Amino acid sequence: MICDECGVRDATIKLMTISGGEKRERHLCTECMAKAKKQFGTLDLSSLAGLIGGLLQAVKQQDDDEHPEALDLICADCGQTYEEFRETGFLGCPGCYGAFRAPLETMLKRIHGHTRHSGRLPGGSSSDLSIRLEIERLKQRLGRAIADEAYEEAARLRDQIRALKGKLEAVPAAGEVET
């Protein structure tokens, strides 16, 4: 690909800028990129680190305000404190999930919007559990479509649910072996 700026050299860099909600992509050679860098000036990463650190401090303060008792929590199984978890981001053992349940649920709701896993599962989309989760997700959407009187969408969702239920009947139960 040829450089969008000079039109002579091979473009080795893809530069994407977003300004006013408009995304612009340019393919530049190294020399034209060096000229473009001068236009942007230098980025002070130390202030960026300070900004991120401040945001993390604000989140910790919000945790303290919502669950002041959490700072005193200790896992009975491994002895890790909630304060240690907050510093490292790692739980010490499976018992920590129970010991720190209330503040963990609050944190997960704030980050993800809910406390139940709704992403992909290991083993691909044909596993029994993943099909059941997809059916539950579609049922929720079906309920919203009916409430919004979007009947064509509701019919489409109903058909998808039926197809998945048929697929679920064809999948052997956990521990069964197909013969």
Side-chain angles (χ1 to χ4, degrees), residues 65-104:
D65 294 344
E66 290 179 20
H67 293 283
E69 74 285 354
L71 297 175
D72 299 328
L73 293 176
I74 299 174
C75 176
D77 295 342
C78 70
Q80 181 174 358
T81 65
Y82 184 72
E83 184 66 29
E84 289 172 330
F85 160 70
R86 284 183 35 183
E87 294 300 317
T88 64
F90 295 104
L91 294 171
C93 72
C96 290
Y97 289 96
F100 310 142
R101 181 182 183 106
L104 286 175

Side-chain angles (χ1 to χ4, degrees), residues 41-159:
T42 59
L43 186 63
D44 183 9
L45 294 178
S46 64
S47 64
L48 181 61
L51 176 65
I52 292 171
L55 289 173
L56 292 175
Q57 235 6 69
V59 168
K60 284 183 178 182
Q61 185 60 47
Q62 188 177 6
D63 282 349
D64 292 348
D65 294 344
E66 290 179 20
H67 293 283
E69 74 285 354
L71 297 175
D72 299 328
L73 293 176
I74 299 174
C75 176
D77 295 342
C78 70
Q80 181 174 358
T81 65
Y82 184 72
E83 184 66 29
E84 289 172 330
F85 160 70
R86 284 183 35 183
E87 294 300 317
T88 64
F90 295 104
L91 294 171
C93 72
C96 290
Y97 289 96
F100 310 142
R101 181 182 183 106
L104 286 175
E105 282 183 345
T106 302
M107 181 184 8
L108 289 171
K109 282 180 186 174
R110 187 175 54 249
I111 294 169
H112 299 290
H114 48 79
T115 58
R116 290 187 62 180
H117 177 74
S118 60
R120 298 185 70 191
L121 295 171
S125 61
S126 63
S127 73
D128 180 49
L129 183 57
S130 114
I131 293 172
R132 289 181 193 280
L133 288 173
E134 180 67 9
I135 289 171
E136 286 304 312
R137 189 180 66 76
L138 289 173
K139 282 182 179 179
Q140 290 174 356
R141 287 180 54 199
L142 176 63
R144 285 193 300 266
I146 291 170
D148 294 342
E149 297 181 8
Y151 298 117
E152 290 178 9
E153 173 71 5
R156 188 182 65 74
L157 291 168
R158 178 204 59 210
D159 294 342

Side-chain angles (χ1 to χ4, degrees), residues 124-128 130-131 135 160-172:
S125 61
S126 63
S127 73
D128 180 49
S130 114
I131 293 172
I135 289 171
Q160 283 182 327
I161 291 169
R162 284 182 183 163
L164 285 173
K165 283 183 177 179
K167 191 175 181 180
L168 188 61
E169 291 171 4
V171 173

